[in-house]
Amino acid sequence: MMKQTIVRALLIAAALGILCCTAMAVTVSPDWTYKGQATVRSVSISGDGGLIAAGGDDAKTTLIGPGGAVQWQKGAAAALGAVSIAPDGSAVGAGGSDNRVYLYDVNGDLRWSTVLPTRIYGVGVADGGAYVAVGGSDDRCHLFDGTGASAWSYMTGDDVLAVAITPDAGLIAAGSNDDRVYLFDQAGKLLWSRILFANVLAVALSPDGNYVAAGSADTKVYLYDRDGTLLWSTPTRGSVSAVSVSEGGEWIAAGSLDQNAYLFDRNGLVIWNQAIGTSVRGAAISADGTHLAFGGDDNLVRTFTVESPVQTTTVSTTVPTTTGIETGALSIASSPSGAEIYLDNRYMGITPLTLQDLAPGNYAVFLQRQGFEPWTGNVSVSAGATVTVNATLNPTAPTETTPTEAAATPFAALGAAAIAAAVLLLRRR
């Protein structure tokens, strides 16, 4: 018995040693805290970490300076879904349930506002407020110039829940309820899109434009390079509602509905996490990775200082991690085309379509098109390969009802009624 107790103690000590090693990968110290009047749904930080914008259900855009001192507040007509401060700290954007986008200068003076036929879920502001990216319930990613004029808009497959923009406005990212991450150039050209396995709740771009981070309702944080290659995905224990990336993608901050704040390194390892005690709705990291901010359901904006961050290869035991993921693709076509595609009961689009970045494994494919019998099949996707499906849809058989039979039906009914009446008359006699 004593021997078993000693072994158990050694195992626990070893586990604690691993955890302590992970926790000490960086030193993260609490800074100041600001308490609002309602849920904080979004936070954004300037490049140098000196200014933080916050917004949420109190319908106020709040700019907070060093030490948590409020610089100014501006009210909206309804709850705010998103705020964004330009990396150079010169402008602050906001949008929410009043269907209006606002752009303020650093002093809180309104530069412009515009009304869209949509609830605003995402806002991103470039340096100087020269461009503002917007996403909302109209299924579109919008780009506005510095005067509030529309530069372009792109229709996705569902509500656009998050947007991000680089300081020079060279790249714009969007996350949609259609389970996709999108990347555009400044002219609105779609550079690539990638499918996740649940709604994309958050997106972020590194200021240098070389990395795209995403947070999903599938509980994972994803990191892509500029070309759309998936570098890693790491799960938390809840939907990932916010992400933010430092200058060169060295650090990724994330907030989760599992009530934790996270800091990942470029390899997808969790190097720090903090139990917040409430759902985390907003997350932001300064360009140099030394300042963090988080907002959540307890009405608080919490800030932290990261001291002397250094790249680490320590394996975190907080959550499992998957790095260097090799994926496959599935190309689906049908004859005739235009069939709805369902992969493992999830709607993916219309044939013909190539689905990228699929994890290796077996998938159930279901195709349907009006006027044709459904098609089902199972496919196996392998890493580094594209599997092709060519389905032939058979027309549904028409219901065989001849004109003669159809015409005889009312007469047969009348005849039956006449016979029944005659029987009644005979019985009465």
Side-chain angles (χ1 to χ4, degrees):
M1 179 65 70
M2 182 173 291
K3 184 177 181 180
Q4 291 177 344
T5 303
I6 293 173
V7 171
R8 186 180 298 111
L10 290 173
L11 289 173
I12 292 172
L16 289 174
I18 294 173
L19 288 172
C20 290
C21 183
T22 301
M24 291 189 295
V26 292
T27 301
V28 180
S29 304
D31 199 350
W32 51 262
T33 299
Y34 167 79
K35 186 171 181 62
Q37 298 175 341
T39 294
V40 178
R41 296 199 173 273
S42 180
V43 294
S44 180
I45 194 168
S46 59
D48 61 4
L51 294 172
I52 292 174
D57 290 356
D58 63 357
K60 294 178 181 178
T61 302
T62 304
L63 186 67
I64 309 168
V70 174
Q71 308 296 299
W72 50 259
Q73 283 187 327
K74 299 295 176 180
L80 294 175
V83 295
S84 175
I85 187 169
D88 64 2
S90 62
V92 178
S97 299
D98 61 358
N99 297 9
R100 187 175 286 273
V101 182
Y102 303 86
L103 185 67
Y104 305 95
D105 66 21
V106 71
N107 298 315
D109 296 326
L110 183 65
R111 291 192 187 180
W112 57 261
S113 69
T114 188
V115 177
L116 295 177
T118 177
R119 178 176 296 181
I120 310 302
Y121 294 134
V123 174
V125 180
D127 274 348
Y131 287 93
V132 178
V134 177
S137 59
D138 62 351
D139 305 348
R140 291 181 177 274
C141 177
H142 300 264
L143 186 67
F144 296 91
D145 66 18
T147 68
S150 176
W152 53 262
S153 68
Y154 182 95
M155 176 72 78
T156 70
D158 210 325
D159 296 352
V160 176
L161 303 178
V163 295
I165 190 169
T166 52
D168 63 359
L171 295 172
I172 295 91
S176 174
N177 217 32
D178 65 4
D179 304 350
R180 285 179 177 269
V181 178
Y182 297 83
L183 187 68
F184 308 92
D185 66 14
Q186 190 179 97
K189 177 184 177 183
L190 178 63
L191 301 179
W192 52 260
S193 69
R194 297 291 181 263
I195 298 175
L196 277 60
F197 283 92
N199 304 150
V200 182
L201 307 179
V203 292
L205 287 161
S206 61
D208 64 5
N210 288 327
Y211 297 92
V212 182
S216 172
D218 67 2
T219 78
K220 292 181 180 179
V221 177
Y222 295 79
L223 188 68
Y224 298 88
D225 67 14
R226 186 188 184 104
D227 298 322
T229 300
L230 179 63
L231 303 178
W232 53 261
S233 68
T234 301
T236 67
R237 296 185 181 90
S239 296
V240 179
S241 50
V243 290
S244 184
V245 187
S246 65
E247 174 66 32
E250 296 92 348
W251 313 101
I252 298 92
S256 173
L257 300 189
D258 68 4
Q259 303 188 356
N260 277 266
Y262 292 89
L263 185 62
F264 300 84
D265 69 9
R266 190 187 291 167
N267 298 315
L269 302 178
V270 178
I271 57 172
W272 171 83
N273 77 287
Q274 177 73 47
I276 299 298
T278 188
S279 295
V280 180
R281 304 285 179 178
I285 188 169
S286 60
D288 64 2
T290 60
H291 294 84
L292 299 169
F294 300 93
D297 284 356
D298 59 359
N299 310 349
L300 293 178
V301 176
R302 291 177 172 85
T303 63
F304 299 85
T305 299
V306 183
E307 299 175 4
S308 302
V310 292
Q311 192 69 19
T312 177
T313 56
T314 303
V315 177
S316 168
T317 60
T318 306
V319 291
T321 179
T322 306
T323 60
I325 293 177
E326 292 188 19
T327 60
L330 179 58
S331 179
I332 304 176
S334 66
S335 178
S337 60
E340 296 177 350
I341 302 171
Y342 292 84
L343 195 66
D344 286 346
N345 295 320
R346 268 195 330 123
Y347 175 73
M348 307 301 290
I350 302 295
T351 60
L353 182 66
T354 298
L355 305 175
Q356 305 281 355
D357 292 327
L358 295 178
N362 297 319
Y363 295 88
V365 180
F366 177 83
L367 306 180
Q368 67 176 12
R369 187 175 190 268
Q370 187 173 5
F372 294 84
E373 295 178 358
W375 185 93
T376 59
N378 294 297
V379 296
S380 180
V381 174
S382 301
T386 299
V387 179
T388 300
V389 172
N390 290 304
T392 300
L393 305 181
N394 298 318
T396 54
T399 304
E400 296 183 2
T401 304
T402 63
T404 304
E405 291 172 339
T409 301
F411 290 106
L414 289 173
I419 293 170
V423 170
L424 286 174
L425 287 173
L426 289 172
R427 286 181 177 175
R428 287 178 181 175
R429 290 180 181 178

